[in-house]
Amino acid sequence: MLNSAGSARRAIPSLDRLLQLEAVTDLVARYGRPLVAETARAELDALRAALERSPAPFDEAAFVRACSNRLSRDTQPSLKHVFNLTGTVLHTNLGRAVLPAEAAEAAMRAMTRPVNLEFDLEGGDRGERDRHAERLLLRLTGAEAALVVNNNAAAVYLTLNTLALKREVPVSRGELIEIGGAFRIPDIMARAGAKLVEVGTTNRTHLKDYAQAITPRTAALMKVHTSNYAIQGFTATVPEDRLAGLAREHELPFITDLGSGTLVNLENYGLPHEPTPRDALTAGADVVTFSGDKLLGGPQAGLIVGRAPLIERIRRNPMKRALRVDKMTLAALEAVLSLYEDPSRLVQRLPTLRHLTRAAAEIEEQARRLLPAVESTLKGLATASVVPVKSQIGSGSLPVDLLASHGIAVSAAGKRRNAAAGTLSAAFRALPAPVIGRVKDGAFIMDLRCLDAEHEQEFVRQLKVLDLEALKA
């Protein structure tokens, strides 16, 4: 044992010498010399500080292990695969829609090989990137033209910036929505350069309210689908076909923002009705905007469909370039749109629709199958049981409609039950593939609606490293 901090520090090899150790050269081969050298220097600094407090001989194996552990920790991707057991199918914070295999494969092909993103193979000159998704969007919506931007907020912004710059757009007070992250329709309209004219009241708006708001400065009429909330009771809204008629009477474009948006009649799959772009266009809308990554089940995108002259004006807006999507998004979107051409197989092939339509009995059977594995992991520190729960669609889609589901509730008895639920939640989040559930009524609940059968074993295998030491405190 060394008898002083000074002699202990002198016994530490230099950084250059440490980098020549066989075990360290293995790390260099894996991580590269610059990162390993930076890590070794940081570990040396920490070691010297520790020796000031408690002198000890230099332990080469322990030093290498410390470097290896730090490198492993620091090089972990920040974006991780997680288990979404929150009960919210389209969870904004967890990436919304899970893409089908076809979309992932299409994106991979676009990433690893040159593609004709903006190249016309027939004419041999420059092409338009939106055309790859446009042909499918036209067939699926009945529109004359379509284009793609990076999300629906961008779609609304670009549409208004093109058609209503420095002019007025009447919108019902009951439709002035706020979406996640405090993005509000009035703010987007203001940034787009359009002047919002509020009409009607929060709960009742009539056709005459729009008619009275029309002036020579009016650029368009706009209807916003309240996809993330519902106003109930003594209410009145103007049907789209009547609003479209008023717009035509005054030779104004009629814009409909569907927010989430879907391309099929969800009632055919046992889900509540949600308006489709085809519905809006049939009702007389000239331009319709909606999302690609919510109910549609594709990658993040904002889709704009409608009459060709208006869509072409929007396409020529210089801001379109700032809001465009990349080749991976277009490839994935085209693959997802292709699935909609065969609605009879959509549940099997589109994860979003599959998760939304799972039967409660099937989910309960899965929960009972997994319960023993969860119970054995808890080692008596907590109890687990199968409980009925309610799932929600999420991401501003069908906000008042809940889906019957089942989950596994984990709880610890005692006066500190609520604190223990938070501890359990943190422990499950710390797993290699974090498990994200929700805490309710003193229990950590894992809703299994979005746990696919092929991922069950991965979920079970990692439970063996669940750290519940904090529950013993």
Side-chain angles (χ1 to χ4, degrees):
M1 174 69 71
L2 296 171
N3 55 18
S4 73
S7 58
R9 288 197 306 272
R10 286 193 296 273
I12 299 175
S14 67
L15 177 62
D16 288 340
R17 184 176 173 188
L18 287 170
L19 291 174
Q20 294 172 13
L21 295 174
E22 182 177 351
V24 177
T25 57
D26 289 342
L27 294 177
V28 170
R30 181 175 179 183
Y31 297 104
R33 185 179 178 86
L35 184 56
V36 173
E38 179 184 334
T39 300
R41 188 178 292 109
E43 285 297 328
L44 281 175
D45 291 342
L47 180 59
R48 291 188 180 103
L51 291 178
E52 291 287 348
R53 299 186 298 271
S54 178
F58 175 71
D59 186 334
E60 178 182 304
F63 176 81
V64 173
R65 279 197 305 275
C67 289
S68 179
N69 291 340
R70 182 184 286 235
L71 285 163
S72 177
R73 182 181 65 248
D74 291 350
T75 56
Q76 285 292 315
S78 175
L79 200 62
K80 293 183 176 182
H81 152 62
V82 304
F83 285 99
N84 175 15
L85 305 189
T86 62
T88 300
V89 177
L90 296 169
H91 200 301
T92 298
N93 304 131
L94 302 182
R96 292 182 178 161
V98 174
L99 297 185
E102 292 88 342
E105 290 164 5
M108 178 64 75
R109 288 194 298 270
M111 286 189 287
T112 55
R113 298 287 299 273
V115 293
N116 58 321
L117 177 64
E118 291 184 352
F119 187 82
D120 182 350
L121 294 175
E122 246 181 66
D125 53 9
R126 186 182 180 90
E128 169 56 55
R129 67 176 60 199
D130 289 330
R131 303 301 183 194
H132 300 290
E134 185 176 41
R135 61 185 180 85
L136 286 164
L137 284 169
L138 301 194
R139 286 208 295 267
L140 294 167
T141 68
E144 296 176 1
L147 59 86
V148 183
V149 289
N150 64 352
N151 61 23
N152 190 51
V156 173
Y157 170 89
L158 191 65
T159 298
L160 291 171
N161 184 255
T162 303
L163 304 181
L165 183 63
K166 298 181 180 180
R167 297 181 66 193
E168 297 175 351
V169 179
V171 180
S172 168
R173 286 188 172 90
E175 298 172 2
L176 299 181
I177 67 169
E178 177 180 311
I179 60 177
F183 286 96
R184 299 174 171 181
I185 280 289
D187 296 338
I188 293 173
M189 293 182 72
R191 289 291 182 179
K195 182 180 179 181
L196 166 65
V197 177
E198 299 180 22
V199 300
T201 63
T202 302
N203 60 318
R204 293 178 69 81
T205 302
H206 306 281
L207 188 65
K208 65 181 180 181
D209 296 320
Y210 290 95
Q212 291 169 359
I214 295 174
T215 73
R217 292 190 53 78
T218 303
L221 298 184
M222 183 174 180
K223 188 169 184 63
V224 181
H225 176 50
T226 55
S227 59
N228 64 350
Y229 67 95
I231 299 174
Q232 298 177 326
F234 186 58
T235 64
T237 60
V238 181
E240 288 187 9
D241 58 346
R242 296 191 66 195
L243 203 50
L246 180 65
R248 282 195 300 273
E249 181 183 329
H250 291 270
E251 298 183 341
L252 297 171
F254 174 38
I255 303 165
T256 297
D257 171 29
L258 291 180
S260 180
T262 178
L263 292 173
V264 292
N265 183 355
L266 293 180
E267 291 176 300
N268 293 338
Y269 302 90
L271 295 168
H273 177 73
E274 183 79 351
T276 68
R278 185 179 289 275
D279 293 338
L281 292 169
T282 300
D286 298 300
V287 177
V288 181
T289 63
F290 57 104
S291 293
D293 57 332
K294 296 181 182 178
L295 281 174
L296 196 148
Q300 178 179 300
L303 309 177
I304 309 175
V305 300
R307 289 176 47 212
L310 298 177
I311 297 299
E312 288 308 312
R313 282 178 60 189
I314 297 170
R315 198 190 308 275
R316 291 194 299 271
N317 187 320
M319 283 301 297
K320 167 64 166 62
R321 184 176 181 87
L323 302 174
R324 69 184 185 181
V325 295
D326 62 18
K327 60 183 178 180
M328 290 83 78
T329 300
L330 283 170
L333 178 63
E334 185 178 16
V336 170
L337 293 174
S338 295
L339 299 182
Y340 277 89
E341 302 226 84
D342 185 3
S344 65
R345 293 196 294 161
L346 203 53
V347 169
Q348 292 76 32
R349 302 170 73 186
L350 192 68
T352 293
L353 198 54
R354 183 171 69 246
H355 293 156
L356 290 175
T357 57
R358 285 190 73 190
E362 175 193 334
I363 302 171
E364 181 180 14
E365 181 183 337
Q366 181 184 41
R368 298 198 180 283
R369 187 166 63 245
L370 295 176
L371 182 63
V374 175
E375 287 180 319
S376 65
T377 301
L378 300 176
K379 300 180 174 63
L381 295 171
T383 60
S385 60
V386 174
V387 294
V389 293
K390 294 289 187 181
S391 305
Q392 61 181 357
I393 295 170
S395 288
S397 306
L398 302 168
V400 298
D401 297 287
L402 299 177
L403 309 171
S405 185
H406 282 81
I408 296 177
V410 183
S411 59
K415 295 180 180 179
R416 301 182 63 227
R417 192 165 180 259
N418 288 333
T423 300
L424 286 162
S425 177
F428 276 88
R429 290 198 310 273
L431 287 169
V435 174
I436 317 296
R438 67 178 186 264
V439 172
K440 183 180 180 182
D441 299 330
F444 172 62
I445 300 174
M446 297 175 281
D447 184 330
L448 303 185
R449 174 169 290 280
C450 294
L451 180 59
D452 292 321
E454 60 263 34
H455 298 144
E456 281 186 19
Q457 287 310 305
E458 180 189 358
F459 171 78
V460 170
R461 279 195 303 270
Q462 69 168 1
L463 291 178
K464 63 185 178 183
V465 299
L466 185 68
D467 184 4
L468 298 176
E469 284 298 312
L471 285 179
K472 298 178 182 178

